[in-house]
Amino acid sequence: MSFQQGISGLNATSKNLEVIGNNIANANTFGAKVARAEFGDVYAAALNGTGATMAGIGTNLTVVAQQFTQGNITTTENPLDLAINGNGFFQLSDALTPVTYTRNGQFKVDRDGFIVSNAGRKLMGYAADASGVIQTGQSAPLQLPTAGIAPVPTSAIDIDMNLDSRKAVTFTGATPAIEFDDAATYNNATSATVFDAKGQEIALTLFFQKSANDTWHVYATANGTTVAGTAAAPQPVTTITYAPDGKAPTSPTAPVVFDIPSVLNAQGATTLPIIGATIDLRQTTQYGSPFAVSNLSQDGFGAGQLASIVVEPNGIVTARYSNGQSRPAGQIEVANFRNPQGLQPLGDNQWGRTFSSGDPVAGIPGDGNLGVLQSGALEQSNVDITAELVDLITAQRVYQANAQTIKTQDQVMQTLVNLR
């Protein structure tokens, strides 16, 4: 008599219990995927055997298949916690062993600025140059910038505004033509902060003086010092002339070039001159409505230090600086496989490619069938505890039933031995 069937059932069910136990143990492991034990029946090979008379000799474990379904996404407070919503894996490298793949987005920054997993492996992606341009092509470990951002002097100023055509003429022809501390000598004023080559702030104030119908003088001061002319006789940097309907000015028809001289700042230091700055007044109007500035922008900024990191859905890692500027620091690359179930589990929430999985297809998150990234979030395990507990009860009963077949075989054999 054969005990093979019962023994194989005990072994197979024991493996099934191990798989279920591992699933339950990883129910709170971010990025973990539920596994399923899959079995096959076993028949003895016999030349003269026929399907009608052959009895199976048990079962065996054919494969432990992981199920790469999407897990729930939960939000966190860490911007370097990343979740993939859709297909794909993060790529990790230590420069010594082959690249590994993970769905666990619990990343941190090491002492050298590299984005790393809890196992110390570096996240792969595309680097950015000093200007923030992503260098696509061969992926490499992503390294965040550690240095600050250098200042950029102001070179262009844009202004969109409306000058009130109903205002009275304030130009009297006297000398000086305007007194900046006397609001009666001009109609309106607005200010912007500009920057010299050192990133030092300069308060640039624009004064608008109506000199005649449809004509306005534009004066400017830097920290209270006139930009054109002298303190005793300020000169306008330009004159705006409008058509009778008040639409876009007929003059100037191009950005106005002017220089901002060296001045003292609030701390008593001397700023650097800004040579050849331009101001674009072509988007201004002169309608019978109150003076209003809808946009006043300039392209300079001061020095800044890295303040925070934001990861966009397409994988671009944006560095934000203390001066309000932001710049791409790199882009995360993700990879997918034709047969993810062929990946080899390596532990630490990592998988390795195999011949069965095929080669990785890498790309930018959101392209093709690749999922998008969600910053400040993690993908939970796709283990269903309720289902696993039910499977645990079922496996226990199956184990007991297989043990019972062995017990029955033993009792039958004992009966045969006892025949006289």
Side-chain angles (χ1 to χ4, degrees):
M1 303 189 70
S2 175
F3 292 92
Q4 178 66 33
Q5 294 89 343
I7 293 174
S8 68
L10 290 177
N11 291 333
T13 307
S14 178
K15 290 293 184 182
N16 192 23
L17 287 171
E18 291 179 10
V19 172
I20 294 171
N22 185 67
N23 289 339
I24 294 174
N26 285 285
N28 289 326
T29 301
F30 289 110
K33 297 302 178 182
V34 66
R36 182 178 67 196
E38 298 178 358
F39 303 97
D41 53 4
V42 180
Y43 282 83
L47 292 176
N48 296 326
T50 62
T53 59
M54 289 182 64
I57 56 175
T59 184
N60 68 342
L61 179 68
T62 58
V63 68
V64 177
Q66 292 193 294
Q67 310 301 308
F68 288 91
T69 56
Q70 179 74 45
N72 293 329
I73 293 179
T74 181
T75 58
T76 69
E77 299 297 327
N78 183 2
L80 282 180
D81 284 341
L82 304 176
I84 300 177
N85 191 354
N87 298 322
F89 297 83
F90 297 110
Q91 302 177 96
L92 305 176
S93 172
D94 62 1
L96 298 175
T97 58
V99 173
T100 59
Y101 305 88
T102 184
R103 294 280 296 193
N104 185 355
Q106 292 176 300
F107 295 113
K108 298 169 180 61
V109 179
D110 68 7
R111 60 184 295 175
D112 298 317
F114 288 99
I115 303 175
V116 297
S117 67
N118 288 334
R121 297 179 70 90
K122 298 172 183 176
L123 180 64
M124 304 289 287
Y126 309 124
D129 63 15
S131 300
V133 178
I134 303 296
Q135 305 298 306
T136 58
Q138 183 65 37
S139 62
L142 282 179
Q143 187 176 23
L144 299 180
T146 55
I149 186 171
V152 171
T154 298
S155 62
I157 303 168
D158 292 327
I159 183 169
D160 298 348
M161 68 177 180
N162 179 70
L163 293 169
D164 192 346
S165 63
R166 301 168 298 181
K167 293 290 187 177
V169 173
T170 53
F171 176 69
T172 63
T175 300
I178 185 173
E179 295 183 21
F180 299 118
D181 56 356
D182 184 1
T185 62
Y186 57 89
N187 297 87
N188 303 103
T190 188
S191 296
T193 300
V194 296
F195 300 87
D196 66 8
K198 289 183 178 179
Q200 299 177 106
E201 298 181 357
I202 302 171
L204 181 71
T205 305
L206 302 175
F207 297 86
F208 303 94
Q209 181 192 67
K210 190 172 184 179
S211 59
N213 286 336
D214 304 323
T215 304
W216 298 75
H217 291 322
V218 181
Y219 298 85
T221 63
N223 288 353
T225 301
T226 185
V227 167
T230 64
Q235 297 295 317
V237 294
T238 188
T239 298
I240 310 175
T241 303
Y242 292 96
D245 60 6
K247 291 183 178 179
T250 58
S251 175
T253 57
V256 177
V257 180
F258 68 105
D259 297 334
I260 300 176
S262 296
V263 294
L264 294 177
N265 61 19
Q267 289 76 32
T270 302
T271 64
L272 298 177
I274 302 175
I275 306 300
T278 64
I279 180 169
D280 192 343
L281 298 162
R282 292 174 294 177
Q283 300 302 314
T284 63
T285 58
Q286 182 200 226
Y287 295 135
S289 59
F291 172 78
V293 178
S294 57
N295 175 62
L296 180 55
S297 60
Q298 56 83 40
D299 59 355
F301 52 84
Q305 300 300 318
L306 183 65
S308 63
I309 294 293
V310 175
V311 181
E312 307 294 339
N314 62 357
I316 291 179
V317 182
T318 301
R320 293 182 176 176
Y321 295 87
S322 57
N323 59 359
Q325 299 298 307
S326 60
R327 182 175 294 176
Q331 186 170 24
I332 297 171
E333 182 188 63
V334 296
N336 197 22
F337 295 85
R338 176 166 293 182
N339 176 27
Q341 289 188 333
L343 293 171
Q344 177 186 1
L346 300 176
D348 287 329
N349 304 314
Q350 300 174 84
W351 289 273
R353 65 174 294 270
T354 65
F355 179 81
S356 178
S357 69
D359 293 330
V361 179
I364 296 171
D367 282 359
N369 66 343
L370 296 174
V372 296
L373 301 188
Q374 184 172 340
S375 178
L378 292 170
E379 181 188 7
Q380 295 179 329
S381 167
N382 63 353
V383 174
D384 184 343
I385 286 292
T386 301
E388 295 301 319
L389 292 176
V390 172
D391 290 344
L392 186 63
I393 295 171
T394 303
Q396 180 184 11
R397 296 302 183 193
V398 172
Y399 193 93
Q400 291 174 338
N402 279 283
Q404 192 65 32
T405 64
I406 296 176
K407 180 179 179 181
T408 302
Q409 291 274 22
D410 178 63
Q411 290 174 344
V412 171
M413 182 170 290
Q414 186 65 36
T415 300
L416 289 175
V417 170
N418 289 337
L419 290 176
R420 298 185 185 280

